[in-house]
């Protein structure tokens, strides 16, 4: 008799009420990722944004990238500044930025600072709470870096030889 065979449903780690809370805090999460969270726990959720949230089609983006401790943000052109400051700007004009593996060597070598960048990437479709402490309204995943140039001066203790800035004549798309 096989009446009970195949009916063992996995035990949820989070109730439907808890998942409704996550849905409101993390809008745009895919159904597949939501299922992984509910039945596998938070540790089963992929870390890469594009593996868990609805993303736009790839397109070209240009703007400023602020590389700082707990502050990996992108501000689209025509932005002239780019930093996290929730007290001064409760509706920040920036987007959290992530770089897909393999990460371009120019990004790996980039010291803290402000960079002008040009890249092909995808942005989250649904406005939400992304990045460090959920302060950014969107996240962008960089699939291919086209150009990077340092916009501010390195700190006095920072070695100049390891700078990530490149001259426009030396640009060559990676990948």
């Amino acid at each position: 008799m096989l009446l009970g065979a195949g009916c063992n449903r996995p035990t949820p780690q989070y109730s439907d009420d808890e998942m409704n809370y996550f849905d409101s805090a993390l809008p745009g999460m895919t159904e597949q990722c939501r299922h992984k969270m509910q039945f596998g726990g938070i540790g089963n959720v992929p870390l890469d944004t594009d593996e868990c949230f609805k993303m736009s089609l790839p397109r070209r983006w240009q703007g400023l990238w602020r590389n700082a401790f707990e502050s990996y943000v992108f501000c689209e052109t025509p932005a002239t500044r780019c930093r996290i400051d929730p007290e001064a700007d409760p509706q920040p004009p920036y987007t959290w930025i992530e770089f897909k593996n393999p990460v371009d060597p120019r990004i790996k070598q980039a010291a803290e600072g402000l960079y002008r960048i040009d890249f092909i990437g995808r942005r989250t479709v649904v406005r939400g709470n992304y990045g460090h402490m959920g302060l950014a309204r969107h996240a962008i995943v960089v699939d291919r870096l086209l150009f990077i140039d340092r916009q501010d001066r390195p700190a006095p203790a920072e070695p100049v030889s390891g700078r990530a800035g490149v001259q426009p004549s030396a640009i060559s798309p990676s990948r």
Side-chain angles (χ1 to χ4, degrees), residues 137-168:
R137 299 299 143 238
H138 283 280
I140 282 187
V141 174
V142 176
D143 294 311
R144 186 167 50 116
L145 182 68
L146 302 174
F147 171 80
I148 183 170
D149 184 40
R150 181 90 186 236
Q151 297 297 295
D152 57 356
R153 296 178 157 237
E158 183 181 319
V160 177
S161 62
R163 289 184 51 207
V166 294
Q167 297 300 317

Side-chain angles (χ1 to χ4, degrees), residues 68-73 84 96 112 132-133:
F69 178 69
E70 296 180 346
S71 175
Y72 235 47
V73 296
I84 294 177
W96 192 257
E112 285 193 7
H132 182 65
M133 296 179 65

Side-chain angles (χ1 to χ4, degrees), residues 1 5 9 11 22 28 64 75-77 86 89 108 113 129-130 139 152-153 163-164 168:
M1 186 167 179
R9 299 184 69 173
T11 303
F22 285 124
L64 298 173
C75 301
E76 191 174 5
T77 297
D89 193 353
K108 287 182 179 180
N129 306 302
Y130 301 94
D152 57 356
R153 296 178 157 237
R163 289 184 51 207

